[in-house]
Amino acid sequence: MDEQFLDLLAEKYDTEEKIITEIINLEAISNLPKGTEHFVSDLHGEFQAFQHVLRNGSGTVKEKIKELFREVWTDQEINDFAALVYYPEEKIQLVIGELSNKQALNQWYRLTIEHMLKLISYASSKYTRSKLRKALPEQYVYIVEELLYKTDSTNNKDPYYEEIYRQIISLGQADNLIIGLAYTTQRLVVDHLHVVGDIYDRGPYPDKIMDTLINYHSVDIQWGNHDVLWIGAYAGSLVCLANIIRICARYDNLDIIEDVYGINLRPLLNLAEKYYDDNPSFRPKLQAGHNVSEQEILQITKIHQAIAMIQFKLESPIIKRRPYFNMSERLLLEQIDYDNNEINICGKTYLLENTCFATVNPQKPEQLLEEERQVMEKLLFSVQHSEKMARHMNFLMKKGSLYLKYNGNLLIHGCIPLDEEGNMEEMQIEDKTYAGRQLLDVFEDYLRYAFAHPEETEDLATDMVWYIWTGECSSLFGKREMTTFERYFIQDKEAHKERKNPYYHLRENEEICRKIMQEFDMNPDHGHVINGHTPVKEISGESPVKANGKMIVIDGGFSKAYQSTTGIAGYTLLYNSFGMQLVAHKKFNSKEDVLCNGTDVLSLKRLVDKELARKLVRETNVGEQLLQKISNLKDLLDYRYMK
Ligand SMILES: O=P(O)(O)OC[C@H]1O[C@](O)(COP(=O)(O)O)[C@@H](O)[C@@H]1O
Ligand SMILES: [Mn+2]
């Protein structure tokens, strides 16, 4: 071992005792059961439903409550206590409103604190004391530890403990303590969260999801195609920027752009008012319960057309300067017969309806009007100077990656592009050809380069971010083409079809999944491929567990727009020391429903994999680091003390 490294290490561990204590500590930790991993995906801006799943740990909180109190509590009591753990602030207010006198309330406080402590003690049984301490409400650590670790079996200290409870209540600290303990419980039931992509688009609050993730104790993100689109916009890709605004307009979410990220839409609105009118194809999909006036709808409809046309124009030069993107079929503006309002796509002629080509010059259809160019320039400036946007995008980059190998599983939002024979699909980029893991690594390198160089807007790296959103070999898109244009202007549904990469039928096959895991140097006997991206149509009998259990698809289905096609509100996955469990969620109504009626989106669990022996920390990614550290410390002991 490098002596310089050992000398550095010796600065921190400067006595024999310190080294030995740390070795014992790390050895002990690595023999604890592994913590619970929680997998969610396709959140699509649905903050309310997401935070519910996070707060209830996909059913883990209630399960623990049941295990502890089933014998002594009614279902109603269990539900009430669960609601208190999920939404402590609101539930306490409801209880205060219901209990008629102070004495009753104080009694409730006394019992509730005791129950919370019991639950915490149970939920933390597989953690070290130090880990639990870090999860406790800071200002109450001392008294909570006193109450948690009562060791006196003689009852001599009973009056002492009672006095602690009494003081907490009489000093007006009960509410805060209960709230703090509820959050401790939430934190203890899930050790680490994986977000398998698509935080952004369609739903109204992606920013609140981002803020929640930023404050979460332990998380990683596998980017989804929609997340990459937002990264691309921030990194200087005008076409990605046009796309995110178009999708926000389409889903009546322009507030996210204007109010949340502070981007001025006025120049775009002025342009839209000048060239566009009402158009049934571009009216926004309204969010339930969102009151929008006719005038606002008209405004959004105009903005929607303006930005969609800018997007289509911006696609052309990229397709032309990157022939190996193989997207010449998508040069649609050039294939339009502007006199007859028709288009020829793949040999078939379609009539165009609800067109809005006022800014298109049929001779040079890709050319932006000077006004359009200026609007995009201003928008990009605004996006790149939004403080909140910078914070959220930096976090996406820091915690995110295109794929992740974690505790033996391969996590990826979309797919591993394959050909019909099940070989890794090849893509040529400039003069080199890539496939499989190498291709994904190259994509990620380009994306990181584009992000680090936001001032470069037409270089290959920036174009590549857009390719990852929509290209045929993208591991996040996984389809041959994105038929956005067709869905706006052509009635015939045949033209809307997006052909999927062969991966999506081949992934049913165990051998293929094994091959993919080998491509990533993983052990196919133990691991799984975990995907999001495609809603699992439970209604039509589709199963989220495929390939003899090697493949798990957990599109969260949080997106309301897709719930009628899936029949459920999606899946999440839990992986604890006993094995893997898939959780199917019913539609989430509202927080109020959980609080008042105790209706918790019933989660149905299905065992995917059972560990033969309880899995320990030492067998995990974190454990690997611990074992490395132990080995370093042993070297240090040897080097300094000849042991
Ligand atoms: O229904 P929308 O929101 O217009 O989006 C449809 C588009 O979204 C996509 O399904 C991609 O989004 P997902 O990653 O959520 O599937 C495209 O394939 C399709 O063209
Ligand atoms: Mn997706």
Side-chain angles (χ1 to χ4, degrees), residues 438-612:
Q438 242 198 349
L439 178 63
L440 269 57
D441 288 338
V442 166
F443 283 153
E444 181 157 341
D445 288 347
Y446 278 118
L447 191 138
R448 290 197 185 278
Y449 181 93
F451 189 81
H453 297 85
E455 68 295 344
E456 292 179 36
T457 60
E458 292 180 2
D459 61 325
L460 175 57
T462 309
D463 289 350
M464 198 56 91
V465 185
W466 176 67
Y467 184 86
I468 301 172
W469 157 246
T470 189
E472 63 177 333
C473 290
S474 157
S475 54
L476 300 189
F477 179 47
K479 295 176 190 166
R480 177 72 186 83
E481 63 278 288
M482 193 175 290
T483 58
T484 312
F485 179 94
E486 290 89 327
R487 280 181 291 118
Y488 285 126
F489 300 120
I490 299 175
Q491 292 294 325
D492 186 349
K493 290 232 167 10
E494 206 34 50
H496 303 178
K497 277 208 178 129
E498 296 177 343
R499 290 164 293 165
K500 286 187 175 158
N501 185 279
Y503 174 87
Y504 289 100
H505 66 262
L506 292 173
R507 72 177 172 183
E508 303 279 346
N509 177 328
E510 183 176 347
E511 275 320 302
I512 295 281
C513 294
R514 287 179 165 271
K515 190 168 158 184
I516 290 173
M517 304 220 50
Q518 276 157 354
E519 168 75 17
F520 285 81
D521 283 333
M522 305 181 75
N523 181 348
D525 289 335
H526 296 297
H528 308 80
V529 182
I530 298 170
N531 276 172
H533 191 49
T534 48
V536 178
K537 294 181 183 145
E538 179 128 329
I539 280 184
S540 348
E542 188 185 346
S543 168
V545 182
K546 301 173 190 297
N548 201 15
K550 290 280 142 220
M551 163 73 57
I552 306 168
V553 184
I554 54 149
D555 183 330
F558 287 89
S559 189
K560 293 206 179 102
Y562 284 81
Q563 285 172 1
S564 54
T565 44
T566 56
I568 50 160
Y571 297 95
T572 57
L573 188 69
L574 291 166
Y575 179 21
N576 61 27
S577 58
F578 295 109
M580 262 187 177
Q581 284 184 316
L582 192 68
V583 185
H585 296 263
K586 294 255 172 71
K587 190 166 168 270
F588 177 73
N589 287 327
S590 68
K591 184 160 102 178
E592 287 65 37
D593 210 18
V594 179
L595 281 164
C596 300
N597 310 321
T599 44
D600 196 0
V601 213
L602 235 189
S603 319
L604 308 165
K605 291 203 177 178
R606 184 178 334 170
L607 199 63
V608 180
D609 243 358
K610 193 168 173 333
E611 297 292 344
L612 293 174

Side-chain angles (χ1 to χ4, degrees), residues 42 44 197-198 202 224-226 413-414 476-477 532-534 555:
D42 297 83
H44 283 300
D198 278 356
R202 301 204 179 109
N225 44 339
H226 290 270
H413 176 71
L476 300 189
F477 179 47
H533 191 49
T534 48
D555 183 330

Side-chain angles (χ1 to χ4, degrees), residues 192-428:
H192 185 78
L193 175 70
H194 304 284
V195 180
V196 195
D198 278 356
I199 295 164
Y200 279 89
D201 289 334
R202 301 204 179 109
Y205 307 114
D207 56 301
K208 290 192 185 171
I209 297 180
M210 288 304 295
D211 286 338
T212 305
L213 295 178
I214 288 171
N215 290 317
Y216 201 73
H217 54 273
S218 182
V219 61
D220 55 55
I221 299 167
Q222 293 71 57
W223 302 312
N225 44 339
H226 290 270
D227 307 321
V228 161
L229 199 59
W230 282 71
I231 294 174
Y234 184 74
S237 162
L238 290 176
V239 71
C240 289
L241 175 56
N243 260 292
I244 65 169
I245 298 175
R246 179 186 62 78
I247 296 173
C248 282
R250 177 166 162 80
Y251 282 87
D252 179 23
N253 277 327
L254 286 171
D255 291 359
I256 300 172
I257 303 281
E258 273 209 293
D259 302 341
V260 173
Y261 289 117
I263 291 149
N264 182 9
L265 286 177
R266 174 56 55 182
L268 177 62
L269 176 63
N270 291 344
L271 175 97
E273 292 281 5
K274 183 165 165 193
Y275 291 101
Y276 300 94
D277 215 325
D278 195 8
N279 184 337
S281 274
F282 287 85
R283 291 210 192 110
K285 292 172 188 265
L286 298 179
Q287 309 274 346
H290 196 187
N291 275 335
V292 194
S293 68
E294 272 306 312
Q295 196 203 346
E296 275 173 295
I297 293 180
L298 183 59
Q299 244 182 25
I300 300 169
T301 306
K302 291 176 181 176
I303 291 181
H304 191 183
Q305 293 169 84
I307 199 69
M309 290 315 297
I310 291 175
Q311 178 198 316
F312 297 137
K313 289 183 182 185
L314 286 168
E315 290 172 356
S316 295
I318 305 178
I319 296 172
K320 287 180 187 164
R321 68 179 172 244
R322 312 288 172 210
Y324 41 85
F325 281 9
N326 195 21
M327 293 175 87
S328 54
E329 281 170 12
R330 303 303 302 160
L331 289 170
L332 297 176
L333 293 185
E334 300 184 7
Q335 288 159 38
I336 296 174
D337 173 347
Y338 289 90
D339 295 328
N340 297 313
N341 246 357
E342 283 175 356
I343 190 165
N344 191 292
I345 302 176
C346 299
K348 201 170 166 195
T349 302
Y350 298 94
L351 181 68
L352 295 174
E353 293 180 45
N354 300 322
T355 54
C356 49
F357 301 151
T359 69
V360 182
N361 171 356
Q363 266 69 55
K364 291 182 188 157
E366 69 178 55
Q367 200 172 57
L368 289 178
L369 297 182
E370 179 54 23
E371 298 155 86
E372 291 175 318
R373 205 190 52 71
Q374 279 183 17
V375 163
M376 289 313 290
E377 211 171 87
K378 285 184 189 152
L379 283 171
L380 182 61
F381 183 86
S382 231
V383 164
Q384 293 189 331
H385 289 82
S386 155
E387 183 276 327
K388 197 180 241 176
M389 188 83 175
R391 200 151 41 81
H392 289 174
M393 293 304 119
N394 275 305
F395 183 75
L396 267 186
M397 294 305 291
K398 189 167 130 205
K399 295 287 178 178
S401 56
L402 214 50
Y403 66 88
L404 182 71
K405 290 163 55 168
Y406 197 96
N407 291 348
N409 298 311
L410 176 63
L411 283 58
I412 175 145
H413 176 71
C415 69
I416 307 298
L418 300 176
D419 67 17
E420 274 300 346
E421 278 69 53
N423 303 310
M424 303 295 143
E425 193 174 24
E426 292 187 342
M427 179 183 177
Q428 191 200 327

